[in-house]
Amino acid sequence: MLKPFLLIFNVADGERKNILDFLDTRHEVQNWYTFMPTGIIIISDLTAHDLQKMFLEGFPNRNHLVTEIPFGSNNGWLNKEVWEFINNPKPVGQ
């Protein structure tokens, strides 16, 4: 089952584009969405632990946090498009 995860990273450790390029090479990542300079929502069927291990393969020394965004147990002030992406996780192209 696909779930949304939040990846937060330190911009001082390098460009976000490097992370996005890496995510594009990983079959575990079904989709992603950037919405703030230090955050990426990742859609995957893995666990937060497994995504974190995957991230360490590409960025062994980069500070980061990976956490699942549990349905119905989150809140914030984001635009409708972001909430749709979080609440209805889908692979790219769907």
Side-chain angles (χ1 to χ4, degrees):
M1 177 162 88
L2 294 178
K3 301 169 289 211
F5 297 85
L6 179 60
L7 168 64
I8 299 174
F9 54 90
N10 186 352
V11 293
D13 293 338
E15 293 183 31
R16 178 173 70 180
K17 182 177 181 340
N18 295 338
I19 295 173
L20 298 177
D21 289 345
F22 174 74
L23 294 178
D24 282 341
T25 69
R26 302 303 302 223
H27 67 64
E28 303 95 329
V29 175
Q30 299 292 315
N31 207 345
W32 55 259
Y33 189 97
T34 60
F35 65 102
M36 292 182 186
T38 61
I40 302 170
I41 300 166
I42 296 173
I43 304 301
S44 180
D45 60 0
L46 296 181
T47 65
H49 176 77
D50 291 336
L51 282 174
Q52 189 268 340
K53 285 178 20 183
M54 178 203 73
F55 188 80
L56 281 176
E57 289 177 23
F59 305 95
N61 299 311
R62 188 162 188 164
N63 292 315
H64 66 283
L65 168 77
V66 177
T67 187
E68 186 175 342
I69 305 173
F71 184 79
S73 295
N74 53 68
N75 207 333
W77 191 258
L78 302 170
N79 69 42
K80 183 179 177 182
E81 185 177 272
V82 178
W83 284 116
E84 178 66 23
F85 192 83
I86 291 170
N87 291 326
N88 298 295
K90 295 179 178 114
V92 172
Q94 288 190 8

